[in-house]
Amino acid sequence: TLDGKIATTNGSSQWISNSDSRPVVHQLRGRMDAILVGHKTASCDNPQLTARPTETSVKRQAIRVVLAQTPALHLDSHLVCSADEIPVIVTAGPAADSEHCQQLIDKGVEVLEFDDDQAIIDGLLSELHQRKVTNLMVEGGSQLLGSLFDNQLIDEVHVFIAPSLIGGTAAPTPLGGSGIEQMTNALKLTNPQLETLGDNIYISGRTKRE
């Protein structure tokens, strides 16, 4: 939103962007090897994370990946129900419910288990690298994006800004995590591209650290 929010305080986020912006997202997804979201985003938004076809979109479908320590995806969620058609990977830490993980596996979801919660992100990225995933799109949420930002793992940015105001101190912003302390360390875009999509503004570009 115009005041830098990605959802209201109670998690409502559909729809912030307009109908002109969403086809662009599907085109972006169609260029990816994998799409990553956090467990909260997957549970609250129940996304499909697919590239829905349009006249100009690529029909390629990316691997859908959910980063979780204790996965509890609903068995009737869009991701789980379509796992046999388009691959879904879910991570799990040592405290994960083994019975639920097995239920996900029975539904066609691949569960990657890790012995240390702190090693999940690095382990997942290493695994995706071994699978030759070179284009990874991260669609949220705030905690996941903030962690990647703090570890300098963001090299390209796509932002859609809607002329709406949400307010609320507790309403999530795109980047959680620790953030930077000095503006001189801010992550900047190299030659950012600006486009108007209806009443939305679309800003994209590669990142550059000073």
Side-chain angles (χ1 to χ4, degrees):
T1 63
L2 198 59
D3 55 341
K5 308 295 184 180
I6 58 173
T8 65
T9 54
N10 68 1
S12 175
S13 62
Q14 296 183 354
W15 291 100
I16 293 176
S17 59
N18 65 20
S19 58
D20 295 317
S21 293
R22 291 192 285 276
V24 178
V25 176
H26 290 300
Q27 291 171 22
L28 288 171
R29 288 176 178 174
R31 292 163 37 195
M32 299 297 126
D33 298 314
I35 300 170
L36 173 64
V37 296
H39 185 264
K40 184 176 180 180
T41 296
S43 298
C44 294
D45 293 354
N46 190 23
Q48 298 181 54
L49 301 181
T50 55
R52 261 87 81 189
T54 65
E55 292 181 358
T56 59
S57 69
V58 179
K59 295 182 179 180
R60 176 185 184 187
Q61 296 292 351
I63 301 168
R64 285 91 52 85
V65 186
V66 179
L67 186 78
Q69 296 178 349
T70 55
L73 288 178
H74 294 296
L75 298 181
D76 60 353
S77 66
H78 290 312
L79 289 173
V80 175
C81 288
S82 61
D84 285 335
E85 302 172 12
I86 306 171
V88 176
I89 297 174
V90 177
T91 65
D97 183 335
S98 59
E99 181 178 350
H100 186 74
C101 287
Q102 185 59 52
Q103 291 175 327
L104 291 174
I105 293 171
D106 292 342
K107 288 283 190 177
V109 175
E110 181 179 358
V111 178
L112 294 180
E113 299 184 13
F114 295 90
D115 296 330
D116 182 358
D117 285 337
Q118 303 304 315
I120 290 179
I121 290 183
D122 287 342
L124 172 63
L125 294 178
S126 177
E127 177 66 24
L128 293 177
H129 173 70
Q130 292 180 28
R131 299 186 187 199
K132 303 188 184 305
V133 169
T134 57
N135 293 297
L136 174 64
M137 182 174 177
V138 185
E139 293 198 23
S142 176
Q143 183 178 352
L144 172 57
L145 287 169
S147 178
L148 295 173
F149 175 82
D150 288 343
N151 287 282
Q152 301 185 22
L153 293 173
I154 296 176
D155 57 12
E156 188 170 327
V157 174
H158 296 264
V159 179
F160 299 85
I161 303 173
S164 305
L165 301 171
I166 286 179
T169 302
T173 60
L175 293 178
S178 301
I180 62 168
E181 295 183 358
Q182 301 294 328
M183 276 303 300
T184 54
N185 296 324
L187 188 63
K188 297 178 174 62
L189 299 188
T190 302
N191 299 320
Q193 303 297 307
L194 279 72
E195 184 178 351
T196 300
L197 301 170
D199 63 358
N200 283 192
I201 297 174
Y202 171 37
I203 302 175
S204 62
R206 301 281 294 185
T207 60
K208 176 184 179 181
R209 291 188 181 272
E210 297 297 337

